């Protein structure tokens, strides 16, 4: 369980930074991080970091893929964690 906590802290911090970097690149009209990458890092556990990055950097908030997709990913991850916990993962 300790490993999972450390992983989640790291992936969410990294995801937050990735969203910030992409916003910076968007403002500077530079090469961007792909939307697929932004979604993938949310799926692999960085959904809280993605939501935080969207709010703090005002990034991807008008795109439904992100404004609806990232919260749905977070809900699914939460339900999976609860299910694993109650089905014997304690």
């Amino acid at each position: 369980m300790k490993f999972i906590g450390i992983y989640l802290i790291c992936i969410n911090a990294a995801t937050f930074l990735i969203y910030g970097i992409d916003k910076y690149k968007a403002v500077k009209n530079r090469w961007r991080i792909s939307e697929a990458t932004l979604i993938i890092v949310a799926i692999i556990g960085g959904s809280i970091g993605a939501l935080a990055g969207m709010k703090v950097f005002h990034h991807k908030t008008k795109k439904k893929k992100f404004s609806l997709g990232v919260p749905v990913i977070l809900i699914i991850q939460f339900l999976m964690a609860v299910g694993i916990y109650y089905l014997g993962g304690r």
Side-chain angles (χ1 to χ4, degrees):
M1 289 301 277
K2 185 177 181 180
F3 171 77
I4 293 171
I6 292 169
Y7 172 78
L8 289 174
I9 289 168
C10 291
I11 191 65
N12 280 287
T15 302
F16 179 80
L17 290 174
I18 289 168
Y19 273 68
I21 290 166
D22 191 52
K23 177 63 176 195
Y24 174 80
K25 288 181 173 198
V27 170
K28 297 292 183 180
N29 203 22
R30 291 187 173 170
W31 173 83
R32 303 279 304 280
I33 297 168
S34 72
E35 288 187 349
T37 299
L38 296 174
I39 292 292
I40 288 168
V41 293
I43 289 171
I44 63 170
S47 56
I48 293 171
L51 280 173
M54 289 170 63
K55 293 283 186 187
V56 169
F57 304 116
H58 305 284
H59 192 47
K60 300 291 185 186
T61 56
K62 293 181 181 176
K63 292 199 169 211
K64 288 195 187 281
K65 182 191 306 186
F66 290 89
S67 65
L68 296 175
V70 173
V72 168
I73 292 167
L74 176 59
I75 291 167
I76 291 169
Q77 290 172 340
F78 175 76
L79 293 173
M80 288 173 55
V82 169
I84 290 168
Y85 179 80
Y86 282 109
L87 292 175
R90 300 183 212 196

